[in-house]
Amino acid sequence: MAFKEFGNYDAVGLAELVRDKQVTARELLDEAIDRTARVDPEINAVVVKHYNYAEQQIEKGLPDGPFTGVPFLLKDLDLLQGTRTTSGASVNRDFVADHSSTLTQRFLETGVTIFGKTSSPEFGLMPTTETRLFGPTRNPWNLAHSSGGSSGGAAAVVAARILPVAHASDGGGSIRIPASACGVFGMKPSRARNPVGPDRGEGWSGFSTAHVVSISVRDSAVMMDAIHGPEPWSPYIAPPPARPFSQEVSRDPGKLRISFTDKSPYGDAIDSEVAAAVRDTAKLLADLGHHVEERAPTLPADPAVVMTAIVSANTAVTVRTIEQRIGRAVTRDDLEILSLASAHNAQGIVSADYITMQLAAFQISRSLAIFFEGCDVFLSPTLCTPPIRLGEINTMSEDLAHIGPILRRYMPGTSMFNMSGQPAMSVPLAWSKDGLPLGMMFAAKLGEEAMLFRLAGQLEQVRPWKDKRPPICV
């Protein structure tokens, strides 16, 4: 073992060790590879391994950045030139990227060494990571349970301390859901905060954005400092920060007006342990001096209906692009039944229907903007039940009708903030009686990541989670 203390440091801490020449980038990479070999057979989270790429990075010389020498994993939806990206789909098992995404290039400029990719459900469509191509990614807290999705592999490797930080993305909750399920910190940035190009100007009609999951709040903030900002072709930009996000983590958040709910957005009852955890968190916030009141937004449209239409249309475009590349129609040998059904559903969506759904998303955004006139932060459960068991969602089922009710019960509150573009984070503040993490979600106004980082920094100090480690952990 090259560096047995690896798991005691966050990524900023590891980079400081490299900078001070107490450890080398190669020693950190060797340790990360060793940890992968020891733990990944149990959790199945690192599905693409290209160790030689990271080794070549070190041999060529790493850029001087905030994370120079820190090992890193991309989510298997993004592109790194010369490496495989499968998007969890059998048809892409041998697809090799001929260019890197803008986001990947910015990660590289931070000095990280990218040695592989983490698992995602096929095309990132589900809140659990269980693909036909690679099999299920297991939760390090309980191997029978889901690690979440779509960044399920990323959250699992961070929870298991293979790495302190990993790339993640969020189109309907896909950073926050696995962060909650695996007991790590996950910040979904404001719309357009981080780049999505060069192949597109927005993801899922502006719903999708990318960042990281991490053990520490400061890793998330330092990474956002390094990668945020528009591209020359960006259709819109996020409000610029007043100061570096990294400076916010240690700043006093002041007395915030915090609204909270322990209910589903649909008014449905939620798991009693989750509801109790929300109320306990609300009490903690009040004890810290914040003004806390029970209050929730009323949405003018069903986010699930909007998501289904927008995601189906985008999936259809993805499938069409694959068919053009391979020169034939895709079949069940190529894609899971769910992906094929989603693309097929788009055939019934005419252009006017698509615009209607975009308008519905706008109505949701406007209602949230009005709601936030009365508060600074909104607290709600990231997930309305503890992490689901593996196998509950079956994307290869002939009858997909079982999925909708599960999604409504499990993660009804995450996608509204994708539609509004607001920043939202899942903070690991509670655990169930069975030892499963229960993340708490905090959302703020568009562009107010700074406020969330200040609040997260405060919560990390008063209720630290770094030393809480799952049974499957290096």
Side-chain angles (χ1 to χ4, degrees):
M1 188 181 301
F3 180 50
K4 63 181 180 180
E5 298 86 4
F6 181 102
N8 296 331
Y9 291 86
D10 66 0
V12 171
L14 290 176
E16 289 172 349
L17 293 176
V18 174
R19 198 172 298 115
D20 294 340
K21 301 188 185 314
Q22 296 184 47
V23 68
T24 67
R26 184 55 195 253
E27 287 174 326
L28 292 186
L29 176 62
D30 287 345
E31 177 64 19
I33 291 172
D34 180 70
R35 285 170 173 258
T36 302
R38 292 161 59 196
V39 173
D40 195 58
E42 294 190 80
I43 62 174
N44 189 36
V46 186
V47 292
V48 176
K49 301 176 177 69
H50 41 73
Y51 301 159
N52 61 324
Y53 185 95
E55 292 164 354
Q56 290 168 9
Q57 283 184 266
I58 295 171
E59 290 172 6
K60 291 177 182 177
L62 297 170
D64 184 14
F67 296 108
T68 297
V70 176
F72 192 71
L73 291 166
L74 289 178
K75 182 177 176 179
D76 189 27
L77 293 180
D78 218 324
L79 301 178
L80 174 63
Q81 185 175 9
T83 68
R84 278 201 306 149
T85 296
T86 75
S87 299
S90 299
V91 70
N92 289 335
R93 68 171 69 243
D94 297 317
F95 175 74
V96 175
D98 61 5
H99 66 284
S100 297
S101 71
T102 305
L103 182 67
T104 296
Q105 187 56 45
R106 292 191 185 179
F107 282 138
L108 290 169
E109 290 166 1
T110 71
V112 297
T113 58
I114 303 178
F115 67 97
K117 299 187 179 75
T118 59
S119 53
S120 166
E122 192 166 275
F123 303 140
L125 296 180
M126 285 287 103
T128 185
T129 303
E130 305 174 54
T131 66
R132 177 177 59 174
L133 177 59
F134 294 118
T137 296
R138 301 182 181 278
N139 193 317
W141 293 91
N142 186 319
L143 297 178
H145 288 259
S146 170
S147 64
S150 62
S151 307
V157 300
V158 172
R161 301 304 195 272
I162 291 175
L163 293 177
V165 64
H167 168 225
S169 58
D170 192 316
S174 293
I175 288 174
R176 292 157 289 157
I177 292 166
S180 177
C182 291
V184 300
F185 178 75
M187 170 78 78
K188 180 195 84 68
S190 292
R191 178 177 293 143
R193 176 69 68 204
N194 293 339
V196 297
D199 301 317
R200 54 185 179 171
E202 60 180 9
W204 281 6
S205 301
F207 294 0
S208 182
T209 186
H211 189 44
V212 295
V213 290
S214 59
I215 286 297
S216 74
V217 176
R218 72 170 180 172
D219 276 356
S220 183
V222 171
M223 185 64 82
M224 194 174 292
D225 281 334
I227 65 176
H228 83 88
E231 300 163 273
W233 47 81
S234 296
Y236 38 76
I237 63 174
R243 63 186 64 84
F245 294 112
S246 56
Q247 294 180 12
E248 304 291 357
V249 177
S250 59
R251 287 172 66 92
D252 185 346
K255 183 175 182 176
L256 299 175
R257 300 172 302 158
I258 301 178
S259 297
F260 81 94
T261 185
D262 60 359
K263 299 178 177 60
S264 161
Y266 297 107
D268 300 338
I270 70 172
D271 178 88
S272 59
E273 280 192 286
V274 175
V278 173
R279 293 191 295 272
D280 176 68
T281 302
K283 181 181 183 301
L284 171 64
L285 294 165
D287 291 343
L288 290 170
H290 301 294
H291 175 76
V292 179
E293 65 173 342
E294 189 168 2
R295 174 174 167 266
T298 300
L299 303 181
D302 186 344
V305 174
V306 176
M307 283 295 299
T308 298
I310 297 295
V311 172
S312 290
N314 279 271
T315 303
V317 172
T318 298
V319 171
R320 182 184 302 168
T321 301
I322 290 172
E323 290 178 332
Q324 291 171 346
R325 189 186 81 228
I326 65 177
R328 60 174 176 79
V330 296
T331 69
R332 290 189 179 189
D333 291 332
D334 302 308
L335 298 177
E336 295 170 7
I337 292 175
L338 174 71
S339 300
L340 291 171
S342 181
H344 178 76
N345 288 344
Q347 296 177 13
I349 302 173
V350 300
S351 56
D353 296 330
Y354 188 84
I355 297 300
T356 298
M357 289 298 101
Q358 286 191 314
L359 289 173
F362 170 74
Q363 295 296 335
I364 290 172
S365 300
R366 187 175 70 174
S367 68
L368 288 170
I370 294 171
F371 173 80
F372 274 86
E373 291 176 358
C375 66
D376 301 309
V377 172
F378 176 54
L379 161 67
S380 59
T382 308
L383 298 171
C384 289
T385 76
I388 59 174
R389 297 183 71 87
L390 291 170
E392 286 191 45
I393 292 177
N394 182 3
T395 58
M396 286 300 294
S397 173
E398 295 292 339
D399 182 4
L400 299 172
H402 72 285
I403 295 178
I406 294 174
L407 302 188
R408 180 183 174 107
R409 182 180 73 250
Y410 188 45
M411 36 76 70
T414 55
S415 66
M416 69 176 83
F417 298 114
N418 296 86
M419 295 172 196
S420 67
Q422 295 171 245
M425 63 183 182
S426 182
V427 185
L429 296 176
W431 271 256
S432 74
K433 65 179 183 299
D434 295 325
L436 291 167
L438 307 174
M440 297 293 105
M441 184 167 67
F442 300 83
K445 297 175 184 176
L446 185 71
E448 284 287 359
E449 287 95 329
M451 181 183 295
L452 293 181
F453 276 130
R454 290 194 293 270
L455 178 59
Q458 182 184 51
L459 292 169
E460 187 178 34
Q461 289 296 313
V462 300
R463 190 173 286 183
W465 54 81
K466 181 182 176 183
D467 292 334
K468 288 182 178 290
R469 304 198 179 198
I472 308 301
C473 183
V474 186

